[in-house]
Structures are given as structure tokens and as C-alpha cells.
Amino acid sequence: MRGTAMSVQIPRYSIDQLRRDIIAGSVEEVVLALPVLHGDPKGQRIAADHFLTEVIDNGLGACVYLLAADIDMRTGPGYAIDVAGAGFGDFVLRPDLATVRRLPWDDATAYVLADATWRDGTVVPVAPRRILRDQLDRLAGMGLRAFAGTELEFLVFRDSYQDAHDHGYRELRPATRYNADYALTGLDGVTPLVRDITRAMTAAGMRVETARAECHPGQYEIVFRYDDPLTTCDNHVLYKVGAKQLAAQRGAALTFMAKYDAGEGNSCHVHLSLRAEDGAAVFADPDRDGGMSRLMDHFVAGQLACMADLMLLFAPNVNSYKRLQPGSFAPVTCSWGRDDRTAPVRVLGAGHSLRLEHRVPGGDANPYLAVAAMIAAGLYGIEHELELPPPSEGGERLPSTLRAALDRWESSPVAHTLFGDDIVAHYANSARLELATFDAAVTDWERVRGFERN
């Protein structure tokens, strides 16, 4: 997050350009997508002329269960949205025309994100994009703006998605042969795909900053330029979709899951800074020891005070907690440090680039919820003028399982205050369904341990 907000100029594909391309025949379909609870976008392909003449003004109906279902699209009671009571009816997907893109990997196709509203035009408050907007509105009410960047890791395999599925996602062949962290050689299995991804994302309007191999065989990280948080999260979900589709086109597969095996997990470190409306760096104060302003002290202290309570928004799946293990670069206790990769909150940079890096989320995190949780926690610290403890001072142990995170989330007065009872109940129910599915599953570990010896 270098430079100032005023220096970031990312070209945008506009709705006017989309109209011209549709008329010229170079765009035939528009994908209208809604980010759902787990962060992945769901949607429909729409004929381009129908999108222009009907959907832009009137939106598009979609079943309400999109925001009340697990990753297998199973729903049930307990969500804040009563799907059965609504007769599995529709809410309305309203296109956010600021998000329109061309998809370089999908011929003659454009892409637009949507916000969910009820038929009367009121917002659906449990939608991840809405939850982030609400926290950004709180910041704006204080005369502050946020800027965010996500660093998202993935594992690449030489096997196709079909082959991976047919083999039960076991015994896959990583695209590199060893720990290639920062390596410049030995990357022949991954470099062509990464080049495809970086070129495609640049063509889709994102600004690539760096790309490098990581520790796990086949692991890579691509870092994009920071932006306002909503744009960053919109980019994030499109990047995940596009990367998977580009891998499939090469007969390869990649995964963002937090922990694929016993090796290093996939992280999603989130960088965040605040500015005043005039662009002033409110986190920086050169007259204070360490260069951090009192406001930044409070903001970081809020992260520490709320982190355990909001863990469900950073680590939403059973698998998320397999990555958060002692002795790894993934944090397990609540602390902060200056350029300290062992702490969950790492403070780095200076002046306009002074920022915090939240190191808890994994590659499976919903970016809208993770960033919303960071902002909400920071505002809690500011509003309560929380004092920042010394750096690297050991704090409480973070929840180490999804069940523990769920219990903490549901019983937390802080979570209820920051997000409201309906949102707490909605995402608690999502976690309960994830746990029930896991508890009913029979794992490879159980078969190996008990097939012959029980």
C-alpha cells in the first residue's frame, strides 16, 4: 500500500462501453453474480440485449436461498431468511454498474456484480456485500475512508479438476517439486498458468503488483494493488473464479482451501489503512514514537479486543482451523508486532503506507466479511479509546476449532453490538450446518485407523 490514494488510477470498463460492445456484437452474454455466504459468486447468464433493456432497470429475480445455503447449496431452518416461509421465492438482484467487466477468459461475455434487495427495494442485510457496505458507511460518518488489499495464496496441481474429483482429491501432483519460496527456477509447471492469470486479471481491470512462488510445492501468490475495500473484495472474488477457470482451460487444477494437506496452508493476508476524506494519512504521526497515531493505536487495539469474538468471519470452515496451528506462520494467539510475521496483526510501512496486515484469514475466507470484521473491530477500538498493549506481548489463544469460534460468536456481546442479532444468528446457523455436515462425514483418517484394527 505505497503512495497515496490519489496516485491509484485503474482503468475501468464502463457501462457505456458495455452498451457499445453489445451493439457491435462483441458481447453476447452478461453474467450477473451475487457474492454469497461463502464468498463465491452465484448467478445467471443473461442475453446481452435482455440485460440492457430489462435487467439494468428492473433487476433479476433469484431464489432467496442463495443467501441461506451451505457450499453444497443445501438450506434449512435457523437462518435469518426464512426460505421455506418465503416459499422458496425470489428477491431481486440489482446490478451494481460500477462493477461491470469484460471476462478475457470467457469469450463474448461481460460480468456484473449484484446486490440483493427485497421486492420493496429494501436491502437484504445478511448479504456479505451489504455487511461490508454498512461498516464503510460507519467509517464515512467519521470522515474516514479505508483502503484494503488482499494477498491470496493457492496451490496448483498438474491434474485436471475432473481427474482430481475422480481420485477423491487425493494423490494429486503439485505443479512444483519442492519448497520454491521466492524461487526463480523450477517453476515450469506453474509459470505459464500464472502468466495467463496475471494477464487476464490485468485485462479485467485489476493492477498486478507482484507474483511469487510460496513454500508448499505448487503454491503461488499473486498480489494486486490496493483499492477501496468494496472494489478490493469484488476483485478478490472475480480473481478466484477466473483463476479456477483459467486452470481448467490448461487441464490443471488449483485450490484456495485453507489447508489441503500436512504442508503449508493457503493464507489470505489482508492489508488495511485509513485516510481522511482529503487523503491525509490518519494512521501516521511522525511526532510519536514508532510513527503510529493515537487513532491507529486504538484501531489496532480494537483488532486484539475483538479478534476471538469475530473469528467466525475470518475462519468460516472446519478446514480453516487446520491451518491455524502452533509452530506455523499462521497465528494462534492474539497479539501485534512491528513487521512480525508470527503475530496475527503485523504493522508495517510508514507515512501513507503505514498499515496493518491481518494474518488470520485463510484462502477460504469470505473477503467481504473478513474486511468488515477488521473495520468493525477497529471502530470498536476507536470508539472505546482502547489502549494498545506492547508489541509481541502474548495474548489469549484464538479459537482453535470452528465449534469454539461458533460458541464465541454467538455468546459475544461485541459481535451482537457490531453486527446485530440477525447477522449473528444467520452466520451462526451457517457454521452449525457446516459442523453437522462434517460430523456426519467418514474421513480417510478413520478408514486407515479402523478398517482392519477395529
Side-chain angles (χ1 to χ4, degrees):
M1 302 179 83
R2 296 175 290 278
T4 70
M6 307 305 290
S7 68
V8 181
Q9 299 294 329
I10 301 175
R12 306 290 192 196
Y13 184 77
S14 68
I15 186 62
D16 291 335
Q17 183 63 54
L18 175 60
R19 292 179 193 275
R20 291 193 290 269
D21 287 349
I22 290 173
I23 292 169
S26 61
V27 170
E28 300 169 1
E29 292 182 318
V30 177
V31 173
L32 185 65
L34 173 73
V36 297
L37 304 192
H38 298 275
D40 55 322
K42 303 287 185 184
Q44 301 184 50
R45 287 180 175 267
I46 305 166
D49 61 341
H50 183 64
F51 180 79
L52 283 185
T53 59
E54 295 291 337
V55 177
I56 284 180
D57 292 332
N58 302 316
L60 185 72
C63 183
V64 296
Y65 96 130
L66 287 178
L67 290 175
D70 71 0
I71 202 165
D72 289 322
M73 301 306 293
R74 295 177 305 170
T75 189
Y79 289 104
I81 296 175
D82 182 0
V83 175
F88 285 80
D90 284 353
F91 45 39
V92 181
L93 303 186
R94 304 281 180 186
D96 181 347
L97 299 181
T99 68
V100 63
R101 312 286 183 98
R102 286 293 298 269
L103 297 183
W105 56 88
D106 195 342
D107 186 48
T109 303
Y111 167 95
V112 183
L113 284 173
D115 291 304
T117 69
W118 299 115
R119 291 290 186 183
D120 64 2
T122 57
V123 300
V124 179
V126 298
R129 222 166 170 258
R130 180 71 254 168
I131 290 172
L132 176 56
R133 283 185 189 273
D134 287 344
Q135 297 303 323
L136 295 175
D137 288 346
R138 291 182 62 208
L139 270 180
M142 299 175 66
L144 297 171
R145 299 178 61 198
F147 291 87
T150 58
E151 298 178 346
L152 187 56
E153 296 170 349
F154 55 88
L155 297 178
V156 181
F157 297 95
R158 297 176 186 271
D159 312 81
S160 70
Y161 281 109
Q162 185 63 54
D163 288 341
H165 175 270
D166 292 346
H167 287 88
Y169 304 99
R170 296 185 296 271
E171 299 180 3
L172 304 184
R173 298 169 296 159
T176 59
R177 296 174 290 281
Y178 43 76
N179 182 336
D181 197 22
Y182 287 94
L184 301 178
T185 60
L187 304 176
D188 50 290
V190 70
T191 297
L193 173 59
V194 169
R195 187 173 292 118
D196 285 350
I197 293 171
T198 55
R199 286 173 175 168
M201 298 306 149
T202 299
M206 302 179 211
R207 185 171 171 183
V208 177
E209 289 198 330
T210 61
R212 70 174 177 91
E214 285 278 357
C215 299
H216 192 294
Q219 191 173 48
Y220 221 87
E221 176 188 80
I222 301 173
V223 177
F224 298 92
R225 181 76 170 184
Y226 70 91
D227 212 317
D228 72 87
L230 194 63
T231 298
T232 289
C233 294
D234 291 345
N235 287 346
H236 180 115
V237 297
L238 177 59
Y239 163 42
K240 290 182 75 171
V241 167
K244 292 174 185 177
Q245 292 177 340
L246 288 162
Q249 290 172 11
R250 280 190 166 269
L254 61 78
T255 183
F256 295 95
M257 67 183 297
K259 190 76 166 175
Y260 169 72
D261 59 15
E264 290 78 8
N266 288 321
S267 68
C268 174
H269 300 151
V270 181
H271 292 248
L272 187 71
S273 68
L274 297 185
R275 311 274 176 87
E277 290 179 340
D278 63 0
V282 298
F283 271 178
D285 184 346
D287 295 328
R288 296 187 75 230
D289 186 33
M292 293 169 57
S293 68
R294 289 286 296 170
L295 184 139
M296 187 175 188
D297 280 0
H298 297 324
F299 196 89
V300 174
Q303 306 303 315
L304 305 184
C306 300
M307 190 179 297
D309 287 2
L310 306 184
M311 194 71 175
L312 194 67
L313 302 186
F314 300 123
N317 301 307
V318 169
N319 182 256
S320 307
Y321 297 84
K322 303 296 178 69
R323 170 180 160 266
L324 300 170
Q325 296 295 320
S328 69
F329 278 107
V332 296
T333 58
C334 209
S335 63
W336 77 281
R338 269 282 194 176
D339 197 14
D340 182 356
R341 285 186 170 90
T342 68
V345 177
R346 175 189 179 210
V347 172
L348 64 164
H352 276 89
S353 73
L354 184 61
R355 63 196 186 276
L356 63 92
E357 177 190 47
H358 204 301
R359 298 177 60 83
V360 173
D364 61 337
N366 183 323
Y368 301 98
L369 301 181
V371 176
M374 291 175 64
I375 294 171
L379 289 175
Y380 180 85
I382 292 172
E383 290 165 355
H384 291 82
E385 297 184 343
L386 299 183
E387 292 298 318
L388 184 62
S392 301
E393 185 175 283
E396 69 173 307
R397 178 69 160 88
L398 295 172
S400 59
T401 66
L402 180 60
R403 203 176 308 276
L406 169 60
D407 291 344
R408 187 71 180 251
W409 167 257
E410 281 195 293
S411 64
S412 166
V414 170
H416 285 267
T417 297
L418 295 180
F419 293 100
D421 295 344
D422 284 349
I423 287 173
V424 169
H426 196 76
Y427 284 89
N429 196 65
S430 179
R432 267 193 296 274
L433 188 54
E434 167 86 353
L435 283 165
T437 304
F438 178 73
D439 289 344
V442 178
T443 66
D444 285 351
W445 180 87
E446 291 166 283
R447 292 188 185 97
V448 170
R449 196 171 181 87
F451 188 93
E452 291 189 45
R453 293 174 286 180
N454 286 159

